[in-house]
Amino acid sequence: MLGVMDLPTYLAGLVLIVLLPGPNSLYVLSVAARRGVRAGYTAAAGVWCGDTVLMTLSAAGVASLLQANAVLFGIVKYAGAGYLTWLALGMMRAAWAMWRTRRERTVEQEAAPAAADERPYRRALVVSLFNPKAILFFVAFFVQFVDPGYAYPALSFVVLGTFAQIASFLYLSALIFGGTRLAAAFRRRRRLSATATSAAGALFLGFAVKLSLASA
């Protein structure tokens, strides 16, 4: 179909890949839990735009350039790791403020400026773009399902990318609505909110370390 080979296998692999936890999905969940459905979808839009850019770059062969150029790969890799670390430290600072503050009014006053300055779309977009392993993965995965004899390979990439975005939309939507349920519990229990925020920060640090150790 349109130069795509073995579509059922691709879809099965895609579901497994989408369900794997990563910084994109974790950030969307965090935003939805703290700021609600609208902000969650704003962050998700950043992820989808970032994924679209990565798929386009992959189809254009940029991933192969990163794989072949160790210096360029290193620049992108450490820039991405640094950004994830910066996000992690921000989450941990917020968690520490929650632990120190018990009165609900004080917590909300401290959290409001941070929420206003967060810009979830931009942050999610940057998290998505600074992920060289994702670019390499898109190429390695997509190429296996594109018929080399098909006259319009770009159309094959569009079909594969569309399925990937649909799967991402469904998964992130589930996280967003699940996150709003968590928000109610977080508002009632400040210790729970601080613990969850600390855990999210620790996971982002883990993603940063994993990315910094990645090889082309």
Side-chain angles (χ1 to χ4, degrees):
M1 181 185 72
L2 299 177
V4 177
M5 303 185 300
D6 201 1
L7 183 59
T9 301
Y10 169 76
L11 295 177
L14 179 62
V15 170
L16 294 176
I17 292 161
V18 169
L19 291 178
L20 287 175
N24 292 345
S25 58
L26 179 61
Y27 182 67
V28 171
L29 176 61
S30 173
V31 170
R34 289 181 285 108
R35 301 180 57 183
V37 172
R38 183 175 181 178
Y41 272 109
T42 300
V47 172
W48 297 325
C49 289
D51 286 347
T52 299
V53 172
L54 292 181
M55 292 176 194
T56 303
L57 293 176
S58 297
V62 174
S64 299
L65 176 61
L66 280 177
Q67 192 171 17
N69 191 320
V71 174
L72 182 59
F73 181 86
I75 292 173
V76 176
K77 178 178 70 173
Y78 289 115
Y83 188 73
L84 292 178
T85 301
W86 181 71
L87 289 180
L89 293 177
M91 291 179 179
M92 290 182 173
R93 285 195 300 269
W96 177 245
M98 293 176 192
W99 280 112
R100 294 180 57 187
T101 308
R102 299 298 182 186
R103 291 179 301 175
E104 183 175 351
R105 179 179 297 179
T106 304
V107 173
E108 290 176 351
Q109 287 174 348
E110 290 181 357
D117 295 338
E118 185 173 0
R119 304 183 188 278
Y121 173 84
R122 186 174 64 184
R123 284 196 176 186
L125 178 63
V126 175
V127 168
S128 297
L129 292 177
F130 279 100
N131 192 348
K133 295 297 290 184
I135 300 176
L136 300 178
F137 169 79
F138 276 129
V139 164
F141 190 65
F142 279 13
V143 169
Q144 299 179 38
F145 300 95
V146 175
D147 184 356
Y150 188 64
Y152 307 101
L155 184 58
S156 304
F157 277 97
V158 170
V159 172
L160 296 173
T162 299
F163 280 116
Q165 293 288 45
I166 291 174
S168 177
F169 174 81
L170 295 175
Y171 178 57
L172 292 183
S173 293
L175 291 181
I176 288 168
F177 286 102
T180 56
R181 290 179 178 271
L182 291 175
F186 289 165
R187 282 192 291 268
R188 291 192 301 267
R189 302 178 181 180
R190 293 298 175 183
R191 289 185 179 181
L192 176 62
S193 180
T195 300
T197 303
S198 299
L203 285 174
F204 266 80
L205 276 180
F207 291 136
V209 171
K210 183 178 180 181
L211 179 57
S212 66
L213 297 177
S215 60

